[in-house]
Amino acid sequence: MKTITEDILDWSKNFIEKPNEYLGNVPVCPYAAKARQDNALKVLEVTKNYNLIDKIVEGTELIKDSDIDIVIVGCSDVEITVEELNATIHAYNVIFVPQDIYLMASHPYDDEEDEPVEFLETDNWEPDNDFLMVLIQNYDKLERASDMMRKKGYYDKWPLDYYDGTVNKRKSYRRYRNARNEKKNE
């Protein structure tokens, strides 16, 4: 059986980085291959959900390294509910977005979208492990990359509720980042 890290790396190589027919043969994440190949992707594994908070905090420290593009915390103890995970990540974003750090949760039992998100269907790939993920990235860098992708039409094929739940949700935290910058300028 693979480790969570091996599952995540395999998912990146064999799904996220591959051209996706639903996105016009563009990868689900056009930046994933470079991050993985440049060792700018770090994975932290957790086996008990009571250690998840400490690993997330560790990940927020790692992402401050300019050589790291993304930290993924993978937790195999999925007893934490989707709602609990989302509430935790929201609270962390209120704290960390002002520090230029953004967190995004991915829970294997989350089926929040009203419309099918076909480009995320992994019929040809399945992990060995059941696990949740917390993706940690630099907020401003992610926003710039997202804006470039928007200008290229990348999001045109996304279901609206998925776009709202990812891109617009992330943008909603901008007010915390702006408040921090305004205080610096006072």
Side-chain angles (χ1 to χ4, degrees), residues 144-156 163:
R144 285 190 303 273
S146 178
D147 193 48
M148 284 180 11
M149 297 306 295
R150 181 190 54 76
K151 289 175 183 173
K152 292 179 180 180
Y154 173 77
Y155 298 114
D156 293 350
Y163 183 85

Side-chain angles (χ1 to χ4, degrees), residues 28-29 65 70 84 120-121 124 141-142 150 166 176:
V28 172
C29 179
D65 181 335
I70 185 168
E84 291 168 331
L120 292 179
E121 296 298 321
N124 298 328
K141 188 174 181 180
L142 181 59
R150 181 190 54 76
T166 54
Y176 300 109

Side-chain angles (χ1 to χ4, degrees), residues 7-162:
D7 265 345
I8 290 171
L9 293 174
D10 190 53
W11 169 69
S12 185
K13 284 190 277 192
N14 295 308
F15 180 69
I16 297 296
E17 299 171 23
K18 297 282 186 197
N20 187 296
E21 67 178 299
Y22 297 104
L23 295 174
N25 288 320
V26 174
V28 172
C29 179
Y31 303 100
K34 182 167 177 19
R36 183 182 53 76
Q37 292 162 357
D38 292 349
N39 279 334
L41 160 65
K42 298 297 176 201
V43 178
L44 303 176
E45 293 190 29
V46 184
T47 57
K48 300 293 180 194
N49 68 33
Y50 54 79
N51 292 324
L52 182 60
I53 289 174
D54 291 337
K55 281 295 179 192
I56 291 171
V57 171
E58 183 181 336
T60 63
E61 288 301 313
L62 285 173
I63 200 65
K64 292 175 184 177
D65 181 335
S66 61
D67 293 332
I68 306 295
D69 289 334
I70 185 168
V71 176
I72 300 176
V73 178
C75 180
S76 58
D77 183 354
V78 293
E79 292 301 312
I80 185 172
T81 68
V82 172
E83 294 77 18
E84 291 168 331
L85 180 61
N86 287 337
T88 300
I89 297 308
H90 169 69
Y92 271 139
N93 277 326
V94 170
I95 294 165
F96 286 112
V97 166
Q99 300 174 48
D100 192 27
I101 298 170
Y102 181 71
L103 295 88
M104 186 173 81
S106 176
H107 196 291
Y109 306 135
D110 186 359
D111 56 359
E112 182 180 303
E113 281 70 45
D114 296 330
E115 303 171 63
V117 185
E118 292 175 325
F119 70 87
L120 292 179
E121 296 298 321
T122 58
D123 294 337
N124 298 328
W125 183 87
E126 290 295 326
D128 281 1
N129 301 280
D130 243 5
F131 57 95
L132 60 87
M133 294 187 294
V134 177
L135 291 76
I136 305 169
Q137 295 175 276
N138 293 102
Y139 184 83
D140 290 340
K141 188 174 181 180
L142 181 59
E143 283 283 275
R144 285 190 303 273
S146 178
D147 193 48
M148 284 180 11
M149 297 306 295
R150 181 190 54 76
K151 289 175 183 173
K152 292 179 180 180
Y154 173 77
Y155 298 114
D156 293 350
K157 294 183 177 15
W158 282 33
L160 185 57
D161 66 326
Y162 186 72

